[in-house]
Amino acid sequence: MVFFTGYLRNLAVIAVVSSLQALADTDFQWNKLEASDKLVWTPCYSGLQCSLLQVPLDYSSATAGTASIAIARYPANCTKSEYRGPILLNDGGPGGSGVDYVVEVGASIATIIGEQFDIVGFDPRGVSYSTPTISFFRTAAERALWMPATSDIVFPALNQTADAVAQQWARAQILGQLAVNRNDGNYIQHITTDNTARDMLRITEAFGFEKVQYWGVSYGSVLGSTFAAMFPDKVGRVVVDGVMPMDTWYSANLTREAADTDKALQTFFDGCAAAGPEACAFSAPSSIEVATKLDALFAAIEVQPVPVTTPVSYGVVDYTFLRNSVFHALYSPYDSFVALAQGLADLAMGNATTLYTAEEVPPFECDYSSTTPFHENGYEALVAISCGDMAVESDTVSQLQAYYASIQAISSIADMYGNWRVVCSGWKLHREDRFKGPFRAPNTSFPLLVIGNTADPVTPIAGAKSTVDAFPGSALLTIDAPGHTSLGAPSTCFYRYLRQYFQNGTLPPQNTVCQPDGVLFPPPANATTEGVASRGLNAWGAELIEGRRTIGKAMRRAMARTLSLAP
Ligand SMILES: *[C@@H]1O[C@H](CO)[C@@H](O)[C@H](O)[C@H]1NC(C)=O
Ligand SMILES: *[C@@H]1O[C@H](CO)[C@@H](O)[C@H](O)[C@H]1NC(C)=O
Ligand SMILES: *[C@@H]1O[C@H](CO)[C@@H](O)[C@H](O)[C@H]1NC(C)=O
Ligand SMILES: *[C@@H]1O[C@H](CO)[C@@H](O)[C@H](O)[C@H]1NC(C)=O
Ligand SMILES: *[C@@H]1O[C@H](CO)[C@@H](O)[C@H](O)[C@H]1NC(C)=O
Ligand SMILES: *[C@@H]1O[C@H](CO)[C@@H](O)[C@H](O)[C@H]1NC(C)=O
Ligand SMILES: *[C@@H]1O[C@H](CO)[C@@H](O)[C@H](O)[C@H]1NC(C)=O
């Protein structure tokens, strides 16, 4: 089960690294930078600049030591008087590398928002190149044995086997104990969302600005809202996008987050049936018949998993694999549905290779000579941050089963969801003074901009609405589309409002609804235009669409990599 975009991205670090290396300035290395309480910039990744900022490990104890935050900026390109400071990004997870994110999409985001800003990605404390870098595993090999790339063991469908919940509970107890045993330097309990919010203020101040400008998607919405609740008078511009409400997050009850999953899945059935066999390989005369075909595939694969061998790797496409393929496609339907339909159609003909290769990564190999520090830690960071924020260690197996059942009452994809709380049931490292609310702020120094899609598989529109209520004065912008966050739902209409918000502080009119630009199943001849050409966009609009493609591709790649690393 996977909730958030950055988590997907980071689990996929093995694959990411190779593509980033091509981009990186050849002699740049994070471990050659010296951490400082000022921003000292070094050229890195083509055209970006990197810095390591020192912050307190524990904001309430000066003697607890320091953490350093890896920061990369896609620099502003304007005159000094036009310069408007940093916009911090978070692409979710938690545990996603903000450095990887800005390397991948910084230029596109600058196109959308404007070149007067530094577009800033940072690895939140504990993550990737920030130090101390969290891991419960001593080596990449130990980690790969715990979470093999092609296994269902890490996040199985909870009804794949009768004891799946109990097994996951047992594994969670081990993870929790490993974290306690391997907490050298006593740092893990400080890797929490509230401390990252404090770090964001430090980063902004190091840029010479007082108020934070921020755009966070998915879990990044929790981080942004937490910041606004903790520092209401330091809100410069804060955009939360694909919103999980704070009370949901901190209470570890994500049941309601499944509210719109089936709605997103329905857009696949409807779109596929309407598009016909030319554009949707899995089509049938009606939505119901498409859904029935998918059910039949699930039933068949449960009885008969399909082995796949490719020139690169090998594995089994089984029930969990298929559940994940479908679930993940709901995150970025405009980039994924066509391929999903092809994969399902091929599977129905007995060929699982298409679905399998869409998610394939090379098998794990030990690099015995490597002295590279351990940075591929998306999973550990995900667990530490989530579980450090939420306290549910008293949950028993039967309580977790009841929790799973409460999601089943809401969504047909509950088996992909229930894992979340289970993973935290063994976690013991909680700071007594961690953030526990209030989960609202009556008066922020600037209104938040809150974004929700009408059919987001993991952060339903209801979360955006309740967050608007928690921050009076903030504005809701709805994107009338399936997909997870604005990254999963292409809309130049949204980009225009986003740009106005950052540039001029203009909020969209109340009840603004943006339409997506793409179509879910473009006719084959239009596949590369995504149906937008007819909208008569100006040059900037065209550039945006290009940027949108980059972002969409990044999202889809992140999805694809995930499956084989953590099904
Ligand atoms: C910076 O702006 C100048 C003038 O608009 C433009 O020619 C140049 O290509 C821009 N540089 C980058 C890296 O975008
Ligand atoms: C979670 O919330 C749902 C309603 O949103 C409720 O039915 C359920 O009992 C809650 N579960 C736990 C474990 O608190
Ligand atoms: C299965 O599908 C793949 C494409 O994903 C194709 O290359 C291969 O030839 C197909 N195998 C068979 C037996 O049709
Ligand atoms: C698993 O649960 C889902 C509902 O969450 C259901 O649709 C599916 O049939 C179940 N699968 C099995 C193998 O029990
Ligand atoms: C809200 O904050 C502003 C300044 O940030 C202040 O002038 C105003 O009095 C505050 N309003 C309330 C209701 O607290
Ligand atoms: C911001 O406001 C200025 C002045 O009103 C206007 O010229 C500019 O187009 C606006 N920018 C955006 C992005 O709306
Ligand atoms: C496909 O392209 C044609 C010609 O370029 C255009 O007329 C038509 O509107 C496009 N269809 C969609 C769904 O975008």
Side-chain angles (χ1 to χ4, degrees), residues 233 443-445:
D233 58 337
N443 193 13
T444 52
S445 49

PDB file of all heavy atoms in Angstrom, residues 233 443-445, ligand 5:
ATOM      1  N   ASP A 233       1.609  33.307  11.994  1.00  0.00           N
ATOM      2  CA  ASP A 233       2.051  34.641  11.581  1.00  0.00           C
ATOM      3  C   ASP A 233       3.264  34.593  10.654  1.00  0.00           C
ATOM      4  O   ASP A 233       3.825  35.628  10.297  1.00  0.00           O
ATOM      5  CB  ASP A 233       2.356  35.496  12.824  1.00  0.00           C
ATOM      6  CG  ASP A 233       3.418  34.863  13.701  1.00  0.00           C
ATOM      7  OD1 ASP A 233       3.602  33.621  13.627  1.00  0.00           O
ATOM      8  OD2 ASP A 233       4.086  35.597  14.454  1.00  0.00           O
ATOM      9  N   ASN A 443      -6.298  32.677  12.348  1.00  0.00           N
ATOM     10  CA  ASN A 443      -5.849  33.909  11.700  1.00  0.00           C
ATOM     11  C   ASN A 443      -4.425  33.764  11.181  1.00  0.00           C
ATOM     12  O   ASN A 443      -3.479  34.121  11.852  1.00  0.00           O
ATOM     13  CB  ASN A 443      -5.929  35.051  12.744  1.00  0.00           C
ATOM     14  CG  ASN A 443      -5.793  36.413  12.102  1.00  0.00           C
ATOM     15  OD1 ASN A 443      -5.883  36.557  10.889  1.00  0.00           O
ATOM     16  ND2 ASN A 443      -5.556  37.423  12.935  1.00  0.00           N
ATOM     17  N   THR A 444      -4.266  33.224   9.988  1.00  0.00           N
ATOM     18  CA  THR A 444      -2.921  33.152   9.420  1.00  0.00           C
ATOM     19  C   THR A 444      -2.564  34.498   8.779  1.00  0.00           C
ATOM     20  O   THR A 444      -3.458  35.248   8.361  1.00  0.00           O
ATOM     21  CB  THR A 444      -2.829  32.038   8.356  1.00  0.00           C
ATOM     22  OG1 THR A 444      -3.889  32.200   7.409  1.00  0.00           O
ATOM     23  CG2 THR A 444      -2.923  30.665   8.990  1.00  0.00           C
ATOM     24  N   SER A 445      -1.265  34.795   8.708  1.00  0.00           N
ATOM     25  CA  SER A 445      -0.841  36.102   8.196  1.00  0.00           C
ATOM     26  C   SER A 445      -1.115  36.250   6.697  1.00  0.00           C
ATOM     27  O   SER A 445      -1.094  37.357   6.165  1.00  0.00           O
ATOM     28  CB  SER A 445       0.627  36.356   8.509  1.00  0.00           C
ATOM     29  OG  SER A 445       1.418  35.249   8.134  1.00  0.00           O
TER      30      SER A 445
HETATM   31  C1  LIG B   5      -5.241  38.659  12.680  1.00  0.00           C
HETATM   32  O1  LIG B   5      -3.876  39.010  12.497  1.00  0.00           O
HETATM   33  C2  LIG B   5      -3.690  40.361  12.105  1.00  0.00           C
HETATM   34  C3  LIG B   5      -2.211  40.564  11.843  1.00  0.00           C
HETATM   35  O2  LIG B   5      -1.566  39.387  11.481  1.00  0.00           O
HETATM   36  C4  LIG B   5      -4.196  41.293  13.184  1.00  0.00           C
HETATM   37  O3  LIG B   5      -4.069  42.605  12.736  1.00  0.00           O
HETATM   38  C5  LIG B   5      -5.654  40.971  13.489  1.00  0.00           C
HETATM   39  O4  LIG B   5      -6.076  41.707  14.587  1.00  0.00           O
HETATM   40  C6  LIG B   5      -5.830  39.480  13.792  1.00  0.00           C
HETATM   41  N1  LIG B   5      -7.238  39.197  13.908  1.00  0.00           N
HETATM   42  C7  LIG B   5      -7.710  38.362  14.850  1.00  0.00           C
HETATM   43  C8  LIG B   5      -9.193  38.155  14.818  1.00  0.00           C
HETATM   44  O5  LIG B   5      -7.003  37.832  15.665  1.00  0.00           O
END
